Amino acid sequence: MFEWHNDKEKQNLEKHNISFAEASSVFDDYFAIYIEDKIHSIYEERLVVIGYSNQNRLITVVFTERDNNQEKVTRIISARKSTIYERKSYEARSKYN
């Protein structure tokens, strides 16, 4: 289950041209790579996933997970086009999966 703040999604769509609905599809990428975001995990644990969306774009999604009435909820914080470094990391890691 995914959730996000609608205002934050609107800002993200305007800035990065990526909706959070599209961002949620990255979690279906078998070769997606997950990274802990220790720098931004001050108030809550944040994670990053890099993978291909259902629009065939390699994107980077920042998210957090929590339990909500015994159900895991993934809250999307931001999504953007992956950098060259992130693309190379994805290609290197997914090549061996």
Side-chain angles (χ1 to χ4, degrees):
M1 177 176 181
F2 295 95
E3 70 177 22
W4 53 77
H5 295 288
N6 291 332
D7 290 341
K8 181 73 174 163
E9 181 192 29
K10 183 179 176 185
Q11 292 171 356
N12 197 85
L13 191 56
E14 290 172 0
K15 184 174 182 180
H16 300 292
N17 197 31
I18 298 173
S19 72
F20 286 172
E22 178 183 353
S24 70
S25 70
V26 169
F27 293 84
D28 294 330
D29 180 356
Y30 178 79
F31 297 109
I33 59 174
Y34 293 82
I35 305 162
E36 288 182 67
D37 186 359
K38 293 181 180 181
I39 294 172
H40 297 104
S41 294
I42 297 168
Y43 301 109
E44 61 188 356
E45 181 184 35
R46 289 191 178 191
L47 303 160
V48 176
V49 60
I50 303 168
Y52 276 95
S53 73
N54 59 2
Q55 300 297 311
N56 202 32
R57 299 194 290 177
L58 188 65
I59 60 176
T60 300
V61 181
V62 178
F63 67 99
T64 189
E65 294 180 327
R66 62 178 164 214
D67 290 325
N68 186 12
N69 296 327
Q70 299 178 332
E71 183 177 23
K72 185 176 106 173
V73 176
T74 301
R75 184 170 60 87
I76 296 176
I77 299 168
S78 67
R80 58 174 170 72
K81 180 181 170 187
S82 298
T83 65
I84 292 171
Y85 174 77
E86 291 164 339
R87 177 177 293 279
K88 287 180 180 180
S89 295
Y90 175 88
E91 290 170 354
R93 296 266 312 266
S94 65
K95 185 164 112 177
Y96 297 105
N97 285 338

